Amino acid sequence: MSDTLAAPAHAETLIKKSRFLACVEPCADREQAQARVAALRAQHPQAAHVCWALMAGGHSAANDDGEPGGTAGRPMLEVLRHQELEGVLATVVRYFGGIRLGAGGLVRAYGDAVSQALQGASRITLVRRVALAAAVPYALEGVLRRELAAAGLEVDGAEHGALALLRWQTPEDQVAALRIRLTDATQGRIDWRTT
């Protein structure tokens, strides 16, 4: 299982007169990440670099923003992977202090900046959900709705034709038990539909 972040978390480090402003935050996709990076560039026009790494939707991306190739974005991305995070954007704004850090120093600086920001981050475990749908006679629609509510699930949609068709989502690890529960509650008169 992966985790994501509940809210943004920040850290600031000073290494050989260079300031590294790190932020880790929830992020849904690359488009949102690029918008956030553009906002950071506008917010920090004097910064030498705005590097970033993204893990979202099973995809990853990293950008060194002018630092030597593989010395900023990739180490940041490796921290996110090692921490098993999903749906997270890591950014580091660097104000150059006049002293070169070398490739190894940059790798450590960017990776450490993200690690420090993650220390103050509040995590949330991601729960994979599965879309389900089932049809029942109208007389059993109330039973189905009550069982779903008792399981802590909300109906996403309903259609009323020859039968009452309900749609909802449930945590992946609860699908088998829920199917048994609903089949029992409706005395086997439930028609499972593909979604």
Side-chain angles (χ1 to χ4, degrees), residues 9-145:
H10 304 270
E12 181 176 340
T13 57
L14 189 62
I15 301 170
K16 294 185 180 180
K17 298 184 181 180
S18 282
R19 267 178 69 206
F20 293 85
L21 307 174
C23 178
V24 289
E25 59 192 286
C27 185
D29 55 32
R30 188 179 184 110
E31 183 179 330
Q32 185 180 359
Q34 289 174 327
R36 178 68 178 120
V37 170
L40 282 171
R41 282 197 178 103
Q43 187 179 349
H44 299 275
Q46 301 302 316
H49 307 281
V50 179
C51 304
W52 57 275
L54 173 69
M55 290 290 295
H59 301 283
S60 62
N63 187 303
D64 295 318
D65 190 38
E67 292 283 24
T71 61
R74 178 152 287 328
M76 295 164 61
L77 184 61
E78 288 306 315
V79 171
L80 298 180
R81 279 192 179 127
H82 181 72
Q83 296 283 327
E84 297 181 0
L85 292 169
E86 172 63 32
V88 174
L89 171 67
T91 55
V92 177
V93 175
R94 180 185 182 196
Y95 285 90
F96 183 59
I99 299 172
R100 298 199 181 277
L101 302 179
L106 288 172
V107 168
R108 282 188 299 281
Y110 281 99
D112 289 350
V114 172
S115 292
Q116 287 179 18
L118 285 170
Q119 287 177 0
S122 178
R123 293 174 179 238
I124 301 170
T125 300
L126 288 173
V127 177
R128 302 244 183 255
R129 299 182 75 77
V130 175
L132 296 176
V136 293
Y138 284 101
L140 294 173
E141 180 180 3
V143 171
L144 182 56
R145 286 182 180 271

Side-chain angles (χ1 to χ4, degrees), residues 9 21 69 126 132 146 153 157 172 187 194:
L21 307 174
L126 288 173
L132 296 176
R146 281 190 297 279
L153 304 172
E172 189 175 52
Q187 300 167 347
T194 58

Side-chain angles (χ1 to χ4, degrees), residues 166-185:
L166 302 181
R167 290 186 189 81
W168 66 93
Q169 294 183 20
T170 188
E172 189 175 52
D173 62 345
Q174 297 176 15
V175 170
L178 182 68
R179 282 180 174 262
I180 292 168
R181 178 179 179 169
L182 296 179
T183 300
D184 289 346

